[in-house]
Coordinates of all heavy atoms in Angstrom, one line a residue:
M1 N 0.8 -1.2 0.0 CA 0.0 0.0 0.0 C 0.9 1.2 0.0 O 1.9 1.3 0.7 CB -0.9 0.0 1.2 CG -2.2 -0.7 1.1 SD -3.4 -0.3 2.2 CE -3.0 -1.3 3.7
T2 N 0.4 2.3 -0.8 CA 1.1 3.5 -0.7 C 0.3 4.6 -0.1 O -0.9 4.4 0.1 CB 1.4 3.9 -2.2 OG1 0.1 4.2 -2.9 CG2 2.2 2.9 -3.0
P3 N 0.8 5.7 0.2 CA 0.0 6.8 0.9 C -1.1 7.3 0.0 O -2.1 7.8 0.4 CB 1.1 7.8 1.2 CG 2.4 7.2 1.2 CD 2.3 6.0 0.3
D4 N -0.9 7.2 -1.4 CA -1.9 7.7 -2.3 C -3.0 6.6 -2.6 O -3.9 6.9 -3.3 CB -1.3 8.1 -3.6 CG -0.4 9.3 -3.3 OD1 -0.7 10.1 -2.4 OD2 0.6 9.4 -4.1
D5 N -2.9 5.4 -2.1 CA -3.9 4.3 -2.3 C -5.2 4.7 -1.6 O -5.3 5.1 -0.5 CB -3.3 3.1 -1.7 CG -4.2 1.8 -2.1 OD1 -5.2 2.0 -2.8 OD2 -3.8 0.8 -1.6
P6 N -6.3 4.7 -2.5 CA -7.6 5.1 -1.9 C -8.1 4.2 -0.8 O -9.0 4.5 0.0 CB -8.5 5.1 -3.1 CG -7.8 4.3 -4.1 CD -6.4 4.3 -3.8
T7 N -7.6 3.0 -0.7 CA -8.1 2.1 0.3 C -7.3 2.3 1.7 O -7.6 1.7 2.7 CB -7.8 0.6 0.0 OG1 -6.5 0.3 -0.3 CG2 -8.7 0.3 -1.3
T8 N -6.2 3.2 1.7 CA -5.5 3.5 2.9 C -6.3 4.4 3.8 O -6.8 5.4 3.4 CB -4.2 4.2 2.6 OG1 -3.4 3.4 1.6 CG2 -3.4 4.5 3.8
P9 N -6.5 4.0 5.0 CA -7.3 4.9 6.0 C -6.5 6.2 6.2 O -5.3 6.2 6.4 CB -7.4 4.0 7.2 CG -6.4 3.0 7.2 CD -6.0 2.8 5.7
R10 N -7.3 7.2 6.2 CA -6.7 8.6 6.4 C -7.3 9.2 7.6 O -8.5 9.0 7.9 CB -7.0 9.5 5.1 CG -6.3 9.0 3.9 CD -6.6 9.9 2.7 NE -6.0 9.3 1.6 CZ -5.9 10.0 0.4 NH1 -6.5 11.2 0.3 NH2 -5.4 9.5 -0.6
D11 N -6.5 10.2 8.2 CA -7.0 10.9 9.4 C -8.0 12.0 8.8 O -7.9 12.5 7.7 CB -6.0 11.6 10.1 CG -5.0 10.6 10.7 OD1 -5.5 9.4 11.0 OD2 -3.8 10.9 11.0
A12 N -9.0 12.3 9.6 CA -10.0 13.3 9.2 C -9.3 14.7 9.2 O -8.4 14.9 10.0 CB -11.1 13.4 10.1
L13 N -9.7 15.6 8.3 CA -9.1 16.9 8.2 C -9.6 17.7 9.4 O -10.7 17.6 9.8 CB -9.5 17.6 6.9 CG -8.9 17.0 5.6 CD1 -9.5 17.7 4.4 CD2 -7.5 17.0 5.6
P14 N -8.7 18.6 9.9 CA -9.2 19.4 11.1 C -10.2 20.4 10.6 O -10.2 20.9 9.5 CB -7.9 20.1 11.5 CG -7.0 20.0 10.4 CD -7.3 18.8 9.5
V15 N -11.1 20.7 11.5 CA -12.1 21.7 11.3 C -11.7 23.1 11.8 O -11.2 23.2 12.9 CB -13.5 21.3 12.0 CG1 -14.5 22.3 11.7 CG2 -14.0 20.0 11.4
N16 N -11.9 24.1 11.0 CA -11.5 25.4 11.3 C -12.7 26.0 12.2 O -13.8 26.3 11.7 CB -11.3 26.3 10.1 CG -10.8 27.7 10.5 OD1 -10.8 28.1 11.6 ND2 -10.2 28.4 9.5
P17 N -12.5 26.3 13.5 CA -13.6 26.7 14.3 C -14.0 28.2 14.0 O -15.1 28.6 14.5 CB -13.0 26.7 15.7 CG -11.5 26.8 15.6 CD -11.3 26.2 14.2
T18 N -13.2 28.9 13.2 CA -13.6 30.3 13.0 C -14.6 30.4 11.8 O -15.2 31.4 11.5 CB -12.4 31.2 12.6 OG1 -11.8 30.7 11.5 CG2 -11.5 31.2 13.8
L19 N -14.8 29.3 11.0 CA -15.7 29.4 9.9 C -17.1 29.3 10.4 O -17.5 28.6 11.3 CB -15.5 28.2 9.0 CG -14.1 28.2 8.3 CD1 -13.9 26.9 7.4 CD2 -13.9 29.4 7.4
A20 N -18.0 30.0 9.7 CA -19.5 30.0 10.1 C -20.2 30.1 8.8 O -19.8 30.6 7.7 CB -19.8 31.2 11.0
P21 N -21.5 29.6 8.8 CA -22.3 29.7 7.6 C -22.7 31.2 7.3 O -22.7 32.0 8.2 CB -23.5 28.8 7.9 CG -23.6 28.8 9.4 CD -22.2 28.9 9.8
H22 N -23.0 31.5 6.0 CA -23.5 32.8 5.7 C -24.9 33.1 6.4 O -25.7 32.2 6.4 CB -23.6 32.9 4.3 CG -22.4 33.0 3.5 ND1 -21.5 34.0 3.5 CD2 -21.7 32.0 2.8 CE1 -20.4 33.8 2.8 NE2 -20.5 32.6 2.3
T23 N -25.1 34.2 6.9 CA -26.4 34.6 7.4 C -27.0 35.6 6.5 O -26.4 36.3 5.7 CB -26.2 35.2 8.9 OG1 -25.3 36.4 8.7 CG2 -25.5 34.2 9.8
A24 N -28.3 35.7 6.6 CA -29.1 36.7 5.8 C -28.7 38.1 6.3 O -28.4 38.3 7.4 CB -30.6 36.5 6.0
P25 N -28.7 39.1 5.3 CA -28.3 40.4 5.7 C -29.4 41.0 6.7 O -30.5 40.6 6.7 CB -28.3 41.2 4.4 CG -29.0 40.4 3.4 CD -28.9 38.9 3.9
A26 N -28.9 42.0 7.4 CA -29.8 42.6 8.5 C -30.9 43.4 7.7 O -30.8 43.7 6.5 CB -29.0 43.5 9.3
A27 N -32.0 43.6 8.4 CA -33.2 44.3 7.8 C -32.8 45.7 7.3 O -33.4 46.2 6.4 CB -34.3 44.4 8.8
D28 N -31.8 46.4 7.9 CA -31.5 47.7 7.6 C -30.4 47.8 6.5 O -29.9 48.8 6.2 CB -31.1 48.6 8.8 CG -29.8 48.0 9.4 OD1 -29.5 46.8 9.2 OD2 -29.2 48.7 10.2
H29 N -30.1 46.7 5.9 CA -29.1 46.6 4.8 C -29.5 47.3 3.6 O -30.6 47.0 3.2 CB -28.7 45.1 4.6 CG -27.8 45.0 3.4 ND1 -26.4 45.3 3.5 CD2 -28.0 44.6 2.2 CE1 -25.9 45.0 2.3 NE2 -26.8 44.6 1.5
R30 N -28.8 48.2 3.1 CA -29.1 48.9 1.8 C -27.9 48.6 0.9 O -26.8 49.0 1.3 CB -29.3 50.4 2.1 CG -30.5 50.7 2.9 CD -30.8 52.2 2.9 NE -29.5 53.0 2.6 CZ -29.4 54.3 2.6 NH1 -30.4 55.0 3.0 NH2 -28.2 54.9 2.3
P31 N -28.1 48.1 -0.3 CA -27.0 47.9 -1.2 C -26.5 49.2 -1.6 O -27.1 50.3 -1.6 CB -27.7 47.2 -2.3 CG -29.1 47.4 -2.3 CD -29.4 47.7 -0.8
A32 N -25.2 49.3 -2.0 CA -24.5 50.5 -2.5 C -25.1 50.9 -3.8 O -25.4 50.1 -4.7 CB -23.1 50.3 -2.6
E33 N -25.3 52.2 -4.0 CA -25.8 52.8 -5.2 C -24.8 53.8 -5.7 O -24.1 54.4 -4.9 CB -27.2 53.3 -5.0 CG -28.2 52.2 -4.7 CD -29.6 52.8 -4.5 OE1 -29.7 54.0 -4.7 OE2 -30.5 52.1 -4.2
Q34 N -24.9 54.1 -6.9 CA -24.1 55.2 -7.5 C -24.6 56.6 -7.1 O -25.8 56.8 -7.2 CB -24.0 55.1 -9.0 CG -23.0 56.1 -9.6 CD -22.8 55.9 -11.1 OE1 -23.1 54.9 -11.6 NE2 -22.3 56.9 -11.8
G35 N -23.8 57.4 -6.6 CA -24.2 58.7 -6.1 C -24.3 59.7 -7.3 O -24.0 59.4 -8.5
P36 N -24.7 60.9 -7.0 CA -24.8 62.0 -8.1 C -23.4 62.3 -8.6 O -22.5 62.2 -7.9 CB -25.4 63.1 -7.4 CG -25.1 62.9 -5.9 CD -25.1 61.5 -5.7
A37 N -23.4 62.7 -9.9 CA -22.1 63.2 -10.5 C -21.7 64.5 -9.9 O -22.5 65.3 -9.5 CB -22.3 63.3 -12.0
P38 N -20.4 64.8 -9.8 CA -19.9 66.0 -9.3 C -20.4 67.2 -10.2 O -20.7 67.0 -11.4 CB -18.4 66.0 -9.3 CG -18.1 64.5 -9.6 CD -19.3 63.9 -10.1
D39 N -20.5 68.3 -9.6 CA -21.0 69.5 -10.4 C -20.0 70.0 -11.4 O -20.3 70.4 -12.5 CB -21.3 70.7 -9.4 CG -22.5 70.4 -8.5 OD1 -23.4 69.6 -9.0 OD2 -22.6 71.0 -7.4
H40 N -18.7 69.8 -11.0 CA -17.7 70.3 -12.0 C -16.6 69.3 -12.1 O -16.0 68.9 -11.1 CB -17.0 71.6 -11.4 CG -15.9 72.1 -12.3 ND1 -16.1 72.5 -13.6 CD2 -14.6 72.2 -12.1 CE1 -14.9 72.9 -14.1 NE2 -14.0 72.7 -13.2
L41 N -16.3 68.8 -13.2 CA -15.2 67.9 -13.5 C -14.0 68.6 -14.3 O -14.4 69.4 -15.2 CB -15.7 66.7 -14.3 CG -16.6 65.7 -13.6 CD1 -17.1 64.7 -14.6 CD2 -15.9 65.0 -12.4
P42 N -12.8 68.3 -14.0 CA -11.7 68.9 -14.8 C -11.8 68.3 -16.2 O -12.2 67.2 -16.4 CB -10.5 68.6 -14.1 CG -10.9 67.4 -13.2 CD -12.3 67.5 -12.9
P43 N -11.3 69.1 -17.2 CA -11.3 68.5 -18.5 C -10.5 67.3 -18.6 O -9.4 67.3 -18.0 CB -10.9 69.6 -19.5 CG -10.1 70.5 -18.4 CD -10.8 70.4 -17.2
A44 N -10.8 66.4 -19.5 CA -10.0 65.2 -19.7 C -8.8 65.5 -20.5 O -8.8 66.4 -21.3 CB -10.8 64.1 -20.4
P45 N -7.7 64.9 -20.2 CA -6.5 65.2 -21.0 C -6.7 64.8 -22.5 O -7.4 63.8 -22.8 CB -5.4 64.3 -20.3 CG -6.1 63.3 -19.6 CD -7.5 63.8 -19.3
A46 N -6.0 65.5 -23.3 CA -6.1 65.2 -24.8 C -5.4 63.9 -25.1 O -4.3 63.6 -24.5 CB -5.5 66.3 -25.5
V47 N -6.0 63.1 -26.0 CA -5.4 61.8 -26.4 C -4.8 62.1 -27.8 O -5.6 62.5 -28.7 CB -6.5 60.7 -26.4 CG1 -5.9 59.5 -27.0 CG2 -7.1 60.5 -25.1
P48 N -3.6 61.8 -28.0 CA -3.0 62.0 -29.3 C -3.6 61.1 -30.4 O -3.8 59.9 -30.0 CB -1.5 61.8 -29.1 CG -1.4 60.9 -27.9 CD -2.6 61.3 -27.0
Q49 N -3.7 61.6 -31.6 CA -4.2 60.7 -32.7 C -3.1 59.8 -33.1 O -1.9 60.2 -33.2 CB -4.7 61.6 -33.8 CG -5.9 62.4 -33.5 CD -7.1 61.5 -33.3 OE1 -7.3 60.4 -33.9 NE2 -8.0 61.8 -32.4
P50 N -3.4 58.5 -33.5 CA -2.4 57.7 -34.0 C -1.8 58.3 -35.3 O -2.5 58.7 -36.1 CB -3.1 56.3 -34.2 CG -4.4 56.5 -33.8 CD -4.7 57.9 -33.4
S51 N -0.5 58.2 -35.5 CA 0.1 58.7 -36.6 C 0.0 57.8 -37.8 O 0.1 58.2 -39.0 CB 1.6 59.0 -36.3 OG 2.3 57.8 -36.2
G52 N -0.1 56.5 -37.6 CA -0.2 55.5 -38.7 C 1.2 55.0 -39.1 O 1.3 54.2 -39.9
D53 N 2.3 55.7 -38.6 CA 3.6 55.2 -38.9 C 3.9 54.0 -38.0 O 3.5 53.8 -36.9 CB 4.6 56.4 -38.6 CG 4.3 57.6 -39.5 OD1 3.8 57.4 -40.5 OD2 4.7 58.7 -39.1
G54 N 4.8 53.2 -38.6 CA 5.3 52.0 -37.8 C 6.3 52.5 -36.7 O 6.8 53.6 -36.7
L55 N 6.5 51.6 -35.8 CA 7.4 52.0 -34.7 C 8.9 51.6 -35.2 O 9.1 50.7 -36.0 CB 7.2 51.0 -33.5 CG 5.8 51.2 -32.8 CD1 5.7 50.2 -31.7 CD2 5.7 52.6 -32.3
S56 N 9.8 52.5 -34.7 CA 11.2 52.2 -35.0 C 11.7 51.0 -34.2 O 11.0 50.6 -33.3 CB 12.0 53.4 -34.7 OG 12.0 53.6 -33.3
S57 N 12.8 50.5 -34.5 CA 13.4 49.3 -33.8 C 13.7 49.7 -32.3 O 13.5 48.9 -31.4 CB 14.6 48.8 -34.4 OG 15.6 49.8 -34.5
A58 N 14.1 51.0 -32.1 CA 14.4 51.4 -30.7 C 13.1 51.5 -29.9 O 13.0 51.1 -28.7 CB 15.0 52.8 -30.8
E59 N 12.0 52.0 -30.6 CA 10.7 51.9 -29.9 C 10.2 50.6 -29.6 O 9.6 50.3 -28.5 CB 9.7 52.8 -30.7 CG 10.0 54.2 -30.8 CD 9.0 54.9 -31.8 OE1 8.7 54.3 -32.9 OE2 8.7 56.1 -31.6
V60 N 10.3 49.7 -30.5 CA 9.9 48.3 -30.2 C 10.8 47.7 -29.1 O 10.2 47.0 -28.2 CB 10.1 47.4 -31.5 CG1 9.8 46.0 -31.2 CG2 9.1 47.9 -32.5
T61 N 12.0 47.9 -29.1 CA 12.9 47.4 -28.1 C 12.6 48.0 -26.7 O 12.5 47.3 -25.7 CB 14.4 47.7 -28.4 OG1 14.7 47.1 -29.7 CG2 15.3 47.1 -27.3
A62 N 12.2 49.2 -26.7 CA 11.8 49.9 -25.5 C 10.5 49.3 -24.9 O 10.3 49.1 -23.7 CB 11.6 51.4 -25.6
L63 N 9.5 49.0 -25.8 CA 8.3 48.4 -25.4 C 8.4 46.9 -25.0 O 7.8 46.5 -24.0 CB 7.3 48.4 -26.5 CG 6.7 49.8 -26.9 CD1 5.9 49.7 -28.1 CD2 5.8 50.3 -25.7
V64 N 9.2 46.1 -25.7 CA 9.3 44.8 -25.5 C 10.4 44.4 -24.4 O 10.3 43.4 -23.7 CB 9.6 44.0 -26.8 CG1 9.7 42.5 -26.6 CG2 8.4 44.2 -27.8
G65 N 11.4 45.2 -24.4 CA 12.4 45.0 -23.5 C 13.7 44.8 -24.3 O 13.7 44.6 -25.5
G66 N 14.8 44.9 -23.6 CA 16.1 44.7 -24.3 C 16.3 43.3 -24.9 O 15.6 42.3 -24.6
A67 N 17.2 43.3 -25.8 CA 17.5 42.0 -26.5 C 18.4 41.1 -25.7 O 19.5 41.5 -25.3 CB 18.1 42.3 -27.9
D68 N 17.9 40.0 -25.2 CA 18.6 39.1 -24.5 C 19.2 38.0 -25.4 O 18.4 37.3 -26.0 CB 17.7 38.5 -23.4 CG 18.4 37.5 -22.5 OD1 19.7 37.4 -22.5 OD2 17.7 36.9 -21.7
P69 N 20.4 37.8 -25.5 CA 21.0 36.8 -26.4 C 20.4 35.4 -26.2 O 20.1 34.7 -27.1 CB 22.5 36.8 -26.2 CG 22.8 38.1 -25.5 CD 21.5 38.5 -24.8
S70 N 20.2 35.0 -25.0 CA 19.6 33.7 -24.7 C 18.2 33.5 -25.2 O 17.8 32.5 -25.7 CB 19.7 33.3 -23.2 OG 18.8 34.2 -22.5
M71 N 17.4 34.6 -25.2 CA 16.0 34.7 -25.7 C 16.1 34.5 -27.2 O 15.3 33.8 -27.8 CB 15.3 35.8 -25.2 CG 14.9 35.9 -23.7 SD 13.8 34.7 -23.3 CE 12.3 35.4 -24.1
M72 N 17.0 35.2 -27.8 CA 17.1 35.2 -29.3 C 17.5 33.8 -29.6 O 16.9 33.2 -30.7 CB 18.2 36.2 -29.8 CG 17.7 37.6 -29.6 SD 19.0 38.9 -29.9 CE 19.4 38.5 -31.6
E73 N 18.5 33.1 -29.0 CA 18.8 31.8 -29.3 C 17.6 30.9 -29.2 O 17.4 29.9 -30.0 CB 20.0 31.3 -28.5 CG 21.3 32.0 -28.8 CD 22.4 31.7 -27.8 OE1 22.2 30.7 -27.0 OE2 23.4 32.3 -27.8
A74 N 16.9 31.0 -28.1 CA 15.7 30.1 -27.9 C 14.7 30.3 -29.0 O 14.1 29.3 -29.5 CB 15.1 30.5 -26.5
N75 N 14.5 31.6 -29.4 CA 13.5 31.8 -30.4 C 13.9 31.2 -31.8 O 13.1 30.6 -32.5 CB 13.2 33.3 -30.6 CG 12.4 33.9 -29.5 OD1 11.6 33.2 -28.8 ND2 12.5 35.1 -29.2
L76 N 15.2 31.3 -32.0 CA 15.7 30.7 -33.3 C 15.6 29.2 -33.2 O 15.2 28.6 -34.2 CB 17.2 31.1 -33.5 CG 17.5 32.6 -33.9 CD1 19.0 32.8 -33.8 CD2 16.9 32.8 -35.2
A77 N 15.9 28.6 -32.1 CA 15.7 27.2 -32.0 C 14.3 26.7 -32.1 O 14.0 25.7 -32.8 CB 16.3 26.7 -30.6
L78 N 13.3 27.5 -31.5 CA 11.9 27.2 -31.6 C 11.5 27.3 -33.1 O 10.7 26.5 -33.6 CB 11.1 28.1 -30.8 CG 11.1 27.8 -29.3 CD1 10.4 28.9 -28.5 CD2 10.4 26.5 -29.0
E79 N 11.9 28.4 -33.8 CA 11.5 28.5 -35.2 C 12.0 27.4 -36.0 O 11.3 26.9 -36.9 CB 11.9 29.9 -35.7 CG 11.2 31.1 -35.1 CD 11.8 32.4 -35.6 OE1 12.8 32.5 -36.2 OE2 11.1 33.5 -35.2
S80 N 13.2 27.0 -35.8 CA 13.8 25.9 -36.6 C 13.1 24.6 -36.3 O 12.8 23.9 -37.2 CB 15.3 25.8 -36.2 OG 16.0 26.9 -36.6
A81 N 12.7 24.4 -35.0 CA 12.0 23.2 -34.7 C 10.6 23.2 -35.2 O 10.0 22.1 -35.5 CB 11.9 23.1 -33.1
E82 N 10.0 24.3 -35.4 CA 8.6 24.4 -36.0 C 8.7 24.4 -37.6 O 7.6 24.4 -38.2 CB 7.9 25.7 -35.5 CG 7.6 25.7 -34.1 CD 7.1 27.0 -33.6 OE1 7.1 28.0 -34.3 OE2 6.6 27.1 -32.4
G83 N 9.8 24.3 -38.1 CA 9.9 24.2 -39.6 C 9.9 25.6 -40.2 O 9.8 25.7 -41.3
L84 N 10.1 26.7 -39.4 CA 10.1 28.0 -40.0 C 11.5 28.4 -40.3 O 12.5 28.0 -39.7 CB 9.5 29.0 -39.0 CG 8.1 28.7 -38.5 CD1 7.7 29.7 -37.4 CD2 7.2 28.8 -39.7
D85 N 11.8 29.3 -41.3 CA 13.0 29.8 -41.6 C 13.3 31.0 -40.8 O 12.7 32.0 -41.0 CB 13.1 30.1 -43.1 CG 14.5 30.5 -43.5 OD1 15.4 30.4 -42.7 OD2 14.7 30.9 -44.7
P86 N 14.2 30.9 -39.8 CA 14.5 32.1 -38.9 C 15.1 33.2 -39.6 O 15.2 34.3 -39.0 CB 15.3 31.5 -37.8 CG 15.9 30.3 -38.3 CD 15.0 29.8 -39.4
T87 N 15.6 33.1 -40.8 CA 16.3 34.2 -41.5 C 15.3 35.1 -42.3 O 15.8 36.1 -42.8 CB 17.4 33.6 -42.4 OG1 16.8 32.8 -43.4 CG2 18.4 32.8 -41.6
T88 N 14.1 34.6 -42.4 CA 13.2 35.5 -43.2 C 12.3 36.3 -42.3 O 12.0 35.9 -41.1 CB 12.3 34.6 -44.1 OG1 11.5 33.7 -43.3 CG2 13.1 33.8 -45.1
E89 N 11.8 37.4 -42.7 CA 10.8 38.2 -41.9 C 9.5 37.6 -42.1 O 9.1 37.1 -43.1 CB 10.8 39.6 -42.5 CG 12.2 40.3 -42.4 CD 12.3 41.1 -41.1 OE1 11.3 41.5 -40.6 OE2 13.4 41.4 -40.7
S90 N 8.7 37.7 -41.0 CA 7.3 37.1 -41.1 C 6.3 38.3 -41.1 O 6.6 39.4 -40.9 CB 7.0 36.2 -39.9 OG 7.4 36.8 -38.7

């Protein structure tokens, strides 16, 4: 018999004495509701329009993170294992 055998007798799990069943909410319980909007809101900041231009390699590197040689080697190995040519652009 192993410890994982379902026929092995196991000790009962301990009961947490702080647990209690859910009780009904009190009679004076009021659910939260959305309040009135403020009288004055500051203007929202302007959102720049997309330029439509592609990102430079420096911008992509800044977004994705620096080039880690071990990651590049792993990506090349994965592409080769998947039958992709790592020397071509996708």
